[in-house]
Protein backbone atom coordinates (compact mmCIF):
# COMPACT_ATOMS: atom_id res chain seq x y z
CA UNK A 1 0.00 0.00 0.00
CA UNK A 2 1.43 3.42 -0.94
CA UNK A 3 2.70 5.73 1.81
CA UNK A 4 3.97 9.30 1.86
CA UNK A 5 7.23 10.07 3.64
CA UNK A 6 7.53 13.74 4.62
CA UNK A 7 10.49 15.47 6.22
CA UNK A 8 9.13 18.57 7.89
CA UNK A 9 10.62 22.02 8.25
CA UNK A 10 10.83 23.54 4.76
CA UNK A 11 8.81 26.73 4.15
CA UNK A 12 6.86 26.32 0.90
CA UNK A 13 7.69 28.78 -1.85
CA UNK A 14 6.77 28.98 -5.51
CA UNK A 15 3.85 28.51 -7.88
CA UNK A 16 1.55 25.61 -8.73
CA UNK A 17 -1.43 25.05 -11.00
CA UNK A 18 -4.71 23.96 -9.52
CA UNK A 19 -6.59 21.05 -11.11
CA UNK A 20 -10.26 20.83 -12.07
CA UNK A 21 -12.71 20.28 -9.20
CA UNK A 22 -13.32 16.64 -8.32
CA UNK A 23 -16.74 17.44 -6.91
CA UNK A 24 -17.81 19.16 -10.12
CA UNK A 25 -16.23 16.65 -12.52
CA UNK A 26 -18.01 13.68 -10.87
CA UNK A 27 -21.60 14.95 -11.34
CA UNK A 28 -20.73 16.32 -14.79
CA UNK A 29 -19.50 12.88 -15.89
CA UNK A 30 -22.70 11.34 -14.49
CA UNK A 31 -24.70 13.97 -16.39
CA UNK A 32 -23.27 12.73 -19.71
CA UNK A 33 -25.69 9.79 -19.23
CA UNK A 34 -28.51 12.24 -19.97
CA UNK A 35 -27.33 13.21 -23.47
CA UNK A 36 -27.98 11.25 -26.64
CA UNK A 37 -24.85 12.54 -28.44
CA UNK A 38 -21.21 12.66 -27.22
CA UNK A 39 -19.98 15.23 -24.68
CA UNK A 40 -16.42 16.58 -24.42
CA UNK A 41 -15.34 17.41 -20.89
CA UNK A 42 -12.03 19.17 -20.19
CA UNK A 43 -10.08 20.23 -17.08
CA UNK A 44 -10.94 16.87 -15.52
CA UNK A 45 -8.55 16.13 -12.63
CA UNK A 46 -6.45 12.97 -12.74
CA UNK A 47 -7.81 11.24 -9.63
CA UNK A 48 -8.85 7.83 -8.42
CA UNK A 49 -12.48 8.95 -7.96
CA UNK A 50 -12.60 10.03 -11.61
CA UNK A 51 -11.27 6.63 -12.71
CA UNK A 52 -13.94 4.99 -10.55
CA UNK A 53 -16.71 7.08 -12.14
CA UNK A 54 -15.39 6.37 -15.65
CA UNK A 55 -15.31 2.60 -14.95
CA UNK A 56 -18.80 2.71 -13.45
CA UNK A 57 -20.22 4.53 -16.49
CA UNK A 58 -18.15 2.31 -18.81
CA UNK A 59 -19.83 -0.82 -17.34
CA UNK A 60 -23.17 0.73 -18.22
CA UNK A 61 -22.13 1.11 -21.86
CA UNK A 62 -20.91 4.71 -21.94
CA UNK A 63 -18.04 4.84 -24.46
CA UNK A 64 -15.05 6.95 -23.49
CA UNK A 65 -12.12 8.40 -25.39
CA UNK A 66 -9.58 9.96 -23.05
CA UNK A 67 -6.59 11.91 -24.39
CA UNK A 68 -3.26 12.45 -22.66
CA UNK A 69 -4.48 15.71 -21.09
CA UNK A 70 -7.47 13.85 -19.67
CA UNK A 71 -9.98 15.58 -21.92
CA UNK A 72 -12.82 13.11 -21.89
CA UNK A 73 -15.24 12.30 -24.68
CA UNK A 74 -18.25 10.42 -23.29
CA UNK A 75 -20.80 8.85 -25.60
CA UNK A 76 -23.98 7.61 -23.92
CA UNK A 77 -25.86 6.52 -27.03
CA UNK A 78 -25.39 2.78 -26.37
CA UNK A 79 -26.09 2.46 -22.64
CA UNK A 80 -27.29 -1.10 -21.94
CA UNK A 81 -26.91 -1.63 -18.17
CA UNK A 82 -28.49 0.43 -15.43
CA UNK A 83 -26.66 -0.93 -12.39
CA UNK A 84 -24.22 0.56 -9.93
CA UNK A 85 -22.95 -2.44 -7.93
CA UNK A 86 -21.95 -2.37 -4.26
CA UNK A 87 -18.26 -3.08 -5.06
CA UNK A 88 -18.04 0.26 -6.84
CA UNK A 89 -20.37 2.38 -4.72
CA UNK A 90 -18.57 1.36 -1.52
CA UNK A 91 -15.29 2.79 -2.88
CA UNK A 92 -16.93 6.06 -3.90
CA UNK A 93 -20.18 7.35 -2.46
CA UNK A 94 -20.55 9.84 -5.32
CA UNK A 95 -21.54 6.83 -7.50
CA UNK A 96 -25.07 7.62 -6.24
CA UNK A 97 -24.98 10.47 -8.78
CA UNK A 98 -25.91 8.03 -11.56
CA UNK A 99 -29.32 7.40 -9.96
CA UNK A 100 -31.08 10.58 -11.14
CA UNK A 101 -29.76 10.47 -14.73
CA UNK A 102 -30.55 6.74 -15.14
CA UNK A 103 -34.17 7.10 -14.02
CA UNK A 104 -34.70 10.29 -16.00
CA UNK A 105 -33.35 9.03 -19.32
CA UNK A 106 -33.87 5.26 -19.20
CA UNK A 107 -36.71 4.89 -16.68
CA UNK A 108 -34.82 2.36 -14.57
CA UNK A 109 -31.91 2.09 -12.15
CA UNK A 110 -30.49 -0.48 -9.72
CA UNK A 111 -27.99 1.32 -7.53
CA UNK A 112 -26.35 0.11 -4.33
CA UNK A 113 -27.00 2.11 -1.16
CA UNK A 114 -23.72 3.80 -0.24
CA UNK A 115 -23.97 2.99 3.47
CA UNK A 116 -21.85 4.74 6.06
CA UNK A 117 -18.26 5.89 5.77
CA UNK A 118 -15.48 7.05 8.04
CA UNK A 119 -17.01 10.49 8.52
CA UNK A 120 -20.55 9.46 9.41
CA UNK A 121 -23.78 7.71 8.43
CA UNK A 122 -24.36 9.74 5.24
CA UNK A 123 -27.84 8.55 4.22
CA UNK A 124 -29.39 9.21 0.78
CA UNK A 125 -33.01 9.38 1.96
CA UNK A 126 -33.47 12.86 0.48
CA UNK A 127 -32.35 11.70 -2.98
CA UNK A 128 -34.94 8.89 -2.81
CA UNK A 129 -37.69 11.10 -1.37
CA UNK A 130 -37.23 13.68 -4.14
CA UNK A 131 -37.27 11.10 -6.93
CA UNK A 132 -40.42 9.53 -5.46
CA UNK A 133 -42.09 12.96 -5.44
CA UNK A 134 -41.24 13.17 -9.16
CA UNK A 135 -43.10 9.92 -9.81
CA UNK A 136 -40.38 7.27 -9.55
CA UNK A 137 -41.41 3.93 -8.09
CA UNK A 138 -38.57 3.09 -5.71
CA UNK A 139 -37.94 -0.03 -3.62
CA UNK A 140 -35.05 -0.24 -1.19
CA UNK A 141 -34.21 -3.91 -0.69
CA UNK A 142 -31.14 -5.97 0.09
CA UNK A 143 -28.92 -2.92 0.11
CA UNK A 144 -30.03 -1.71 -3.32
CA UNK A 145 -32.24 1.08 -4.60
CA UNK A 146 -34.39 -0.23 -7.45
CA UNK A 147 -36.20 2.52 -9.31
CA UNK A 148 -38.59 2.65 -12.23
CA UNK A 149 -40.51 5.43 -13.93
CA UNK A 150 -42.26 5.97 -17.27
CA UNK A 151 -41.41 9.65 -17.41
CA UNK A 152 -40.68 11.67 -14.29
CA UNK A 153 -42.90 14.68 -13.66
CA UNK A 154 -42.02 18.03 -12.16
CA UNK A 155 -42.57 18.56 -8.43
CA UNK A 156 -41.86 21.03 -5.65
CA UNK A 157 -39.13 19.54 -3.49
CA UNK A 158 -38.31 21.10 -0.16
CA UNK A 159 -35.07 19.64 1.13
CA UNK A 160 -35.00 19.03 4.92
CA UNK A 161 -31.20 19.33 4.95
CA UNK A 162 -28.92 21.06 2.49
CA UNK A 163 -27.38 18.22 0.49
CA UNK A 164 -24.91 18.73 -2.33
CA UNK A 165 -25.15 15.44 -4.23
CA UNK A 166 -28.88 15.27 -3.35
CA UNK A 167 -29.47 18.63 -5.05
CA UNK A 168 -27.35 17.50 -8.01
CA UNK A 169 -29.12 14.16 -8.43
CA UNK A 170 -32.57 15.77 -8.34
CA UNK A 171 -31.54 18.63 -10.62
CA UNK A 172 -30.23 16.13 -13.19
CA UNK A 173 -33.41 14.02 -12.93
CA UNK A 174 -35.62 17.10 -13.35
CA UNK A 175 -33.96 18.16 -16.63
CA UNK A 176 -35.85 15.42 -18.51
CA UNK A 177 -39.03 15.40 -16.38
CA UNK A 178 -42.35 16.62 -17.71
CA UNK A 179 -43.09 20.10 -16.32
CA UNK A 180 -41.41 22.30 -13.76
CA UNK A 181 -39.45 21.18 -10.70
CA UNK A 182 -38.56 23.51 -7.85
CA UNK A 183 -35.79 22.47 -5.47
CA UNK A 184 -36.12 24.52 -2.31
CA UNK A 185 -33.36 24.72 0.32
CA UNK A 186 -31.03 23.64 -2.47
CA UNK A 187 -27.27 23.42 -1.99
CA UNK A 188 -25.55 26.60 -3.24
CA UNK A 189 -22.06 25.13 -3.73
CA UNK A 190 -20.11 26.35 -6.80
CA UNK A 191 -20.04 22.73 -8.02
CA UNK A 192 -23.88 22.76 -8.19
CA UNK A 193 -23.67 25.90 -10.35
CA UNK A 194 -21.02 24.28 -12.56
CA UNK A 195 -23.25 21.23 -13.08
CA UNK A 196 -26.25 23.47 -13.89
CA UNK A 197 -24.15 25.44 -16.41
CA UNK A 198 -23.03 22.19 -18.02
CA UNK A 199 -26.62 20.85 -18.16
CA UNK A 200 -27.85 24.14 -19.66
CA UNK A 201 -25.15 23.85 -22.32
CA UNK A 202 -26.66 20.41 -23.10
CA UNK A 203 -30.08 22.03 -23.63
CA UNK A 204 -31.56 21.97 -20.11
CA UNK A 205 -33.57 24.89 -18.69
CA UNK A 206 -32.25 25.51 -15.18
CA UNK A 207 -32.46 28.81 -13.31
CA UNK A 208 -31.41 29.80 -9.83
CA UNK A 209 -28.43 27.45 -9.32
CA UNK A 210 -26.28 29.01 -6.62
CA UNK A 211 -29.37 30.27 -4.76
CA UNK A 212 -31.58 28.40 -2.31
CA UNK A 213 -34.27 27.77 -4.97
CA UNK A 214 -33.49 26.06 -8.26
CA UNK A 215 -36.16 25.98 -10.99
CA UNK A 216 -35.88 23.34 -13.69
CA UNK A 217 -38.20 23.21 -16.66
CA UNK A 218 -38.02 19.70 -18.10
CA UNK A 219 -37.14 19.21 -21.78
CA UNK A 220 -37.65 16.23 -24.11
CA UNK A 221 -33.97 15.50 -24.62
CA UNK A 222 -30.44 16.72 -23.94
CA UNK A 223 -27.53 16.65 -26.38
CA UNK A 224 -23.77 16.44 -25.94
CA UNK A 225 -21.72 19.49 -25.05
CA UNK A 226 -18.19 20.86 -24.73
CA UNK A 227 -17.56 21.85 -21.13
CA UNK A 228 -14.55 22.75 -18.99
CA UNK A 229 -14.77 21.89 -15.26
CA UNK A 230 -14.26 24.71 -12.74
CA UNK A 231 -11.09 24.82 -10.56
CA UNK A 232 -10.91 22.86 -7.33
CA UNK A 233 -11.48 25.24 -4.42
CA UNK A 234 -10.57 22.62 -1.82
CA UNK A 235 -7.24 21.81 -3.49
CA UNK A 236 -6.64 25.58 -3.74
CA UNK A 237 -7.37 26.07 -0.05
CA UNK A 238 -5.21 23.11 0.98
CA UNK A 239 -2.07 24.52 -0.70
CA UNK A 240 -2.73 27.97 0.74
CA UNK A 241 -2.98 26.49 4.23
CA UNK A 242 0.27 24.59 3.58
CA UNK A 243 1.94 27.91 2.74
CA UNK A 244 0.50 29.57 5.86
CA UNK A 245 1.59 26.74 8.18
CA UNK A 246 5.16 26.64 6.86
CA UNK A 247 5.60 30.43 6.90
CA UNK A 248 6.05 30.42 3.11
CA UNK A 249 4.89 32.26 0.01
CA UNK A 250 2.85 30.38 -2.57
CA UNK A 251 0.98 31.45 -5.69
CA UNK A 252 -1.79 29.13 -6.85
CA UNK A 253 -2.70 29.55 -10.50
CA UNK A 254 -5.62 28.46 -12.74
CA UNK A 255 -7.99 28.83 -9.80
CA UNK A 256 -10.78 31.22 -8.82
CA UNK A 257 -10.43 33.32 -5.66
CA UNK A 258 -14.18 34.03 -5.73
CA UNK A 259 -14.87 30.39 -4.80
CA UNK A 260 -13.25 30.45 -1.39
CA UNK A 261 -14.00 33.71 0.38
CA UNK A 262 -14.70 32.02 3.74
CA UNK A 263 -11.33 30.22 3.66
CA UNK A 264 -9.37 33.31 2.58
CA UNK A 265 -10.94 35.34 5.41
CA UNK A 266 -9.71 32.78 7.94
CA UNK A 267 -6.20 32.84 6.45
CA UNK A 268 -6.18 36.65 6.67
CA UNK A 269 -7.25 36.35 10.29
CA UNK A 270 -4.35 33.93 10.81
CA UNK A 271 -1.98 36.71 9.72
CA UNK A 272 -1.38 35.92 6.04
CA UNK A 273 -1.00 38.57 3.34
CA UNK A 274 -3.21 37.60 0.41
CA UNK A 275 -3.23 39.08 -3.08
CA UNK A 276 -5.53 37.83 -5.79
CA UNK A 277 -6.11 38.19 -9.50
CA UNK A 278 -8.67 36.83 -11.95
CA UNK A 279 -7.35 33.28 -11.83
CA UNK A 280 -4.65 33.27 -9.14
CA UNK A 281 -4.15 33.78 -5.41
CA UNK A 282 -0.87 34.47 -3.64
CA UNK A 283 -0.42 33.92 0.07
CA UNK A 284 2.63 35.30 1.85
CA UNK A 285 3.22 34.42 5.49
CA UNK A 286 6.65 36.14 5.65
CA UNK A 287 8.06 33.47 7.96
CA UNK A 288 5.51 34.23 10.68
CA UNK A 289 3.70 31.69 12.83
CA UNK A 290 -0.05 31.66 12.10
CA UNK A 291 -2.53 32.88 14.72
CA UNK A 292 -5.20 30.36 15.81
CA UNK A 293 -8.64 30.86 14.21
CA UNK A 294 -12.15 29.76 15.17
CA UNK A 295 -14.06 27.80 12.53
CA UNK A 296 -17.68 26.74 12.19
CA UNK A 297 -18.35 24.50 9.18
CA UNK A 298 -21.64 24.87 7.28
CA UNK A 299 -22.93 24.57 3.71
CA UNK A 300 -21.65 27.09 1.13
CA UNK A 301 -21.03 30.04 1.28
CA UNK A 302 -19.95 29.38 4.89
CA UNK A 303 -16.71 27.63 5.79
CA UNK A 304 -16.53 24.22 3.99
CA UNK A 305 -16.35 20.99 5.97
CA UNK A 306 -13.87 19.76 3.33
CA UNK A 307 -11.33 22.34 4.65
CA UNK A 308 -11.87 21.52 8.33
CA UNK A 309 -9.05 18.98 8.75
CA UNK A 310 -6.55 21.33 7.08
CA UNK A 311 -7.46 24.22 9.42
CA UNK A 312 -7.31 21.83 12.38
CA UNK A 313 -3.73 21.03 11.34
CA UNK A 314 -2.93 24.75 11.07
CA UNK A 315 -4.35 25.49 14.51
CA UNK A 316 -2.20 22.76 16.09
CA UNK A 317 0.95 24.87 15.51
CA UNK A 318 -0.65 28.35 15.65
CA UNK A 319 -0.27 30.84 18.48
CA UNK A 320 -3.33 30.88 20.73
CA UNK A 321 -6.44 28.71 21.02
CA UNK A 322 -8.72 27.81 18.11
CA UNK A 323 -12.25 26.41 18.45
CA UNK A 324 -13.39 24.31 15.54
CA UNK A 325 -17.03 23.24 15.27
CA UNK A 326 -18.10 20.65 12.69
CA UNK A 327 -21.80 20.86 11.87
CA UNK A 328 -22.06 19.00 8.54
CA UNK A 329 -20.83 15.48 9.40
CA UNK A 330 -21.09 13.88 12.83
CA UNK A 331 -17.78 12.03 12.86
CA UNK A 332 -15.32 14.12 10.94
CA UNK A 333 -12.61 14.21 13.58
CA UNK A 334 -10.71 11.02 12.73
CA UNK A 335 -7.51 13.01 12.11
CA UNK A 336 -7.49 14.37 15.66
CA UNK A 337 -6.15 11.27 17.40
CA UNK A 338 -3.42 11.04 14.75
CA UNK A 339 -2.51 14.73 15.26
CA UNK A 340 -2.40 14.11 19.02
CA UNK A 341 0.16 11.37 18.37
CA UNK A 342 2.29 14.08 16.73
CA UNK A 343 2.10 16.20 19.87
CA UNK A 344 -0.95 18.36 19.10
CA UNK A 345 -2.89 19.65 22.09
CA UNK A 346 -6.54 19.07 21.15
CA UNK A 347 -9.60 18.47 23.33
CA UNK A 348 -12.82 17.20 21.80
CA UNK A 349 -16.14 18.30 23.28
CA UNK A 350 -19.01 16.90 21.22
CA UNK A 351 -18.66 18.34 17.75
CA UNK A 352 -16.16 21.01 18.82
CA UNK A 353 -12.38 20.62 18.87
CA UNK A 354 -10.52 23.00 21.16
CA UNK A 355 -6.98 23.34 19.86
CA UNK A 356 -4.20 24.86 21.92
CA UNK A 357 -1.40 25.69 19.52
CA UNK A 358 2.01 24.17 20.32
CA UNK A 359 5.43 25.47 19.20
CA UNK A 360 6.13 22.38 17.10
CA UNK A 361 4.86 18.92 16.19
CA UNK A 362 6.93 15.73 16.25
CA UNK A 363 6.95 13.36 13.31
CA UNK A 364 5.20 10.01 13.77
CA UNK A 365 3.80 7.22 11.64
CA UNK A 366 0.15 8.17 11.05
CA UNK A 367 -2.80 6.65 9.25
CA UNK A 368 -5.06 8.40 6.76
CA UNK A 369 -8.73 7.63 7.39
CA UNK A 370 -10.57 9.70 4.81
CA UNK A 371 -9.72 12.06 2.02
CA UNK A 372 -9.58 15.41 3.80
CA UNK A 373 -8.27 13.96 7.09
CA UNK A 374 -5.30 12.69 5.07
CA UNK A 375 -4.66 16.18 3.74
CA UNK A 376 -4.58 17.46 7.34
CA UNK A 377 -1.97 14.83 8.23
CA UNK A 378 0.21 15.68 5.23
CA UNK A 379 0.11 19.36 6.25
CA UNK A 380 1.08 18.43 9.80
CA UNK A 381 4.00 16.38 8.39
CA UNK A 382 5.25 19.45 6.51
CA UNK A 383 5.90 21.30 9.78
CA UNK A 384 6.77 18.40 12.14
CA UNK A 385 10.31 17.77 13.36
CA UNK A 386 11.57 14.61 11.68
CA UNK A 387 10.09 12.15 9.19
CA UNK A 388 6.33 11.58 9.14
CA UNK A 389 5.06 8.48 7.38
CA UNK A 390 1.44 8.81 6.24
CA UNK A 391 -0.05 5.38 5.57
CA UNK A 392 -3.16 4.48 3.52
CA UNK A 393 -2.75 7.38 1.16
CA UNK A 394 -5.12 5.83 -1.36
CA UNK A 395 -7.57 8.17 0.37
CA UNK A 396 -5.52 11.18 -0.71
CA UNK A 397 -5.22 9.89 -4.29
CA UNK A 398 -9.02 9.99 -4.47
CA UNK A 399 -8.99 13.78 -4.32
CA UNK A 400 -5.53 15.36 -4.78
CA UNK A 401 -3.81 15.19 -8.15
CA UNK A 402 -0.06 14.38 -7.85
CA UNK A 403 0.13 15.85 -4.34
CA UNK A 404 3.75 14.84 -3.78
CA UNK A 405 4.83 16.37 -7.12
CA UNK A 406 3.03 19.64 -6.41
CA UNK A 407 4.44 19.89 -2.88
CA UNK A 408 7.95 19.02 -4.13
CA UNK A 409 7.63 21.79 -6.69
CA UNK A 410 7.04 24.14 -3.75
CA UNK A 411 10.15 22.93 -1.93
CA UNK A 412 8.69 20.31 0.41
CA UNK A 413 10.62 17.12 1.14
CA UNK A 414 8.06 14.46 0.35
CA UNK A 415 8.17 11.17 -1.50
CA UNK A 416 5.92 8.22 -2.15
CA UNK A 417 6.98 4.75 -1.07
CA UNK A 418 5.29 1.52 -2.13
C1 LIG B 1 -20.66 16.46 -0.84
C2 LIG B 1 -19.21 16.45 -1.26
C3 LIG B 1 -18.32 16.28 -0.04
C4 LIG B 1 -18.64 17.35 1.01
C5 LIG B 1 -20.14 17.40 1.30
C6 LIG B 1 -20.52 18.57 2.19
C7 LIG B 1 -19.30 15.52 -3.49
C8 LIG B 1 -19.01 14.36 -4.38
N1 LIG B 1 -19.01 15.35 -2.19
O1 LIG B 1 -20.95 15.19 -0.25
O2 LIG B 1 -16.96 16.40 -0.46
O3 LIG B 1 -17.96 17.07 2.21
O4 LIG B 1 -20.89 17.52 0.08
O5 LIG B 1 -20.10 19.76 1.64
O6 LIG B 1 -19.74 16.55 -3.94
N2 LIG B 1 -27.85 13.96 4.30
C9 LIG B 1 -29.00 13.34 4.73
N3 LIG B 1 -29.80 12.74 3.79
C10 LIG B 1 -29.51 12.74 2.47
C11 LIG B 1 -28.34 13.39 2.04
C12 LIG B 1 -27.52 14.00 2.98
O7 LIG B 1 -29.29 13.31 5.92
O8 LIG B 1 -30.28 12.17 1.68
C13 LIG B 1 -26.96 14.63 5.30
C14 LIG B 1 -25.56 14.01 5.39
O9 LIG B 1 -25.53 12.88 6.23
C15 LIG B 1 -24.73 15.16 5.90
C16 LIG B 1 -25.41 16.38 5.26
O10 LIG B 1 -26.70 15.95 4.83
O11 LIG B 1 -24.83 15.27 7.30
C17 LIG B 1 -24.68 16.96 4.07
O12 LIG B 1 -24.29 15.93 3.20
P1 LIG B 1 -24.25 16.11 1.63
O13 LIG B 1 -24.23 17.54 1.26
O14 LIG B 1 -25.30 15.25 1.02
O15 LIG B 1 -22.83 15.45 1.29
P2 LIG B 1 -22.47 14.75 -0.06
O16 LIG B 1 -23.29 15.31 -1.15
O17 LIG B 1 -22.44 13.27 0.13
Amino acid sequence: MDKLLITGGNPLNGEIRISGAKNAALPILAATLLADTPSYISNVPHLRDITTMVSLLGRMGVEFIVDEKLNIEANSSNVHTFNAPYEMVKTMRASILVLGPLIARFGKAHVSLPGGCAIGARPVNLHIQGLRAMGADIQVEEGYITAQAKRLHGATLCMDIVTVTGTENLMMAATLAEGVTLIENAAREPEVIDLANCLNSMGAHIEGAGTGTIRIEGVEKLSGTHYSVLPDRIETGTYLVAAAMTGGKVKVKKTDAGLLDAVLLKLLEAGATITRGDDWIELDMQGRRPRAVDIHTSPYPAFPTDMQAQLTAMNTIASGVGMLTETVFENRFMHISELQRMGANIRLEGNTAIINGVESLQAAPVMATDLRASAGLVLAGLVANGETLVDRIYHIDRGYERIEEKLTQLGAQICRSH
Side-chain angles (χ1 to χ4, degrees), residues 3 24 47 130 142 144 203 218 270 287-288 317 324 358 364 375:
K3 301 174 177 56
L47 299 171
E142 296 171 2
Y144 275 80
R288 289 192 303 263
I317 49 99
L324 217 144
V358 293

Side-chain angles (χ1 to χ4, degrees), residues 15-272:
E15 299 186 350
I16 45 159
R17 288 158 73 104
I18 294 302
S19 305
K22 168 180 89 73
N23 286 355
L26 291 173
I28 286 173
L29 287 173
T32 62
L33 277 172
L34 291 162
D36 57 8
T37 52
S39 295
Y40 303 86
I41 313 297
S42 55
N43 205 30
V44 178
H46 192 203
L47 299 171
R48 241 171 53 115
D49 274 9
I50 299 296
T51 315
T52 307
M53 183 57 93
V54 166
S55 353
L56 176 63
L57 296 172
R59 285 172 55 110
M60 295 175 185
V62 180
E63 289 150 8
F64 288 99
I65 300 175
V66 182
D67 72 14
E68 72 285 357
K69 287 188 173 157
L70 219 71
N71 295 312
I72 295 186
E73 177 186 331
N75 181 353
S76 298
S77 44
N78 295 313
V79 173
H80 47 69
T81 307
F82 312 100
N83 295 351
Y86 176 65
E87 300 78 68
M88 303 202 88
V89 179
K90 77 173 182 203
T91 63
M92 185 184 71
R93 295 179 42 82
S95 309
I96 192 73
L97 285 164
V98 299
L99 181 64
L102 284 178
I103 305 174
R105 176 148 174 240
F106 304 103
K108 50 189 155 185
H110 187 63
V111 175
S112 169
L113 280 171
C117 70
I119 64 175
R122 300 185 79 174
V124 289
N125 57 310
L126 299 172
H127 303 229
I128 295 173
Q129 207 172 300
L131 290 166
R132 279 192 176 132
M134 294 167 76
D137 174 17
I138 300 187
Q139 316 298 326
V140 181
E141 283 168 347
E142 296 171 2
Y144 275 80
I145 303 165
T146 306
Q148 288 184 41
K150 281 221 169 61
R151 185 179 177 193
L152 295 173
H153 56 72
T156 295
L157 312 173
C158 187
M159 312 299 282
D160 287 344
I161 299 176
V162 176
T163 154
V164 178
T165 48
T167 301
E168 292 166 345
N169 233 339
L170 297 172
M171 185 165 79
M172 288 190 280
T175 56
L176 292 181
E178 191 171 356
V180 171
T181 299
L182 285 179
I183 306 178
E184 283 169 2
N185 199 24
R188 292 181 281 166
E189 268 65 4
E191 293 75 20
V192 174
I193 305 178
D194 209 40
L195 173 64
N197 290 341
C198 177
L199 290 165
N200 281 340
S201 73
M202 295 165 111
H205 292 167
I206 303 174
E207 289 169 5
T211 74
T213 302
I214 303 180
R215 181 181 188 278
I216 307 117
E217 198 178 319
V219 294
E220 292 286 332
K221 70 182 193 80
L222 296 181
S223 314
T225 183
H226 283 74
Y227 197 80
S228 176
V229 174
L230 96 167
D232 198 309
R233 64 194 165 101
I234 306 300
E235 188 196 23
T236 304
T238 303
Y239 286 106
L240 294 177
V241 174
M245 285 176 72
T246 59
K249 179 177 175 182
V250 167
K251 184 173 186 179
V252 286
K253 299 192 300 186
K254 276 199 76 186
T255 187
D256 180 349
L259 302 178
L260 62 169
D261 286 340
V263 174
L264 296 182
L265 277 173
K266 289 296 163 187
L267 290 170
L268 283 171
E269 218 180 297

Side-chain angles (χ1 to χ4, degrees), residues 262-263 266 269 293-308 311-312 315 322-329 333 351-353:
V263 174
K266 289 296 163 187
E269 218 180 297
V293 290
D294 292 339
I295 305 277
H296 190 97
T297 67
S298 275
Y300 195 83
F303 191 91
T305 173
D306 285 352
M307 284 299 299
Q308 183 257 100
L311 268 285
T312 306
N315 273 344
M323 303 260 287
L324 217 144
T325 305
E326 171 61 57
T327 72
V328 181
F329 293 111
F333 280 133
N351 63 345
T352 298

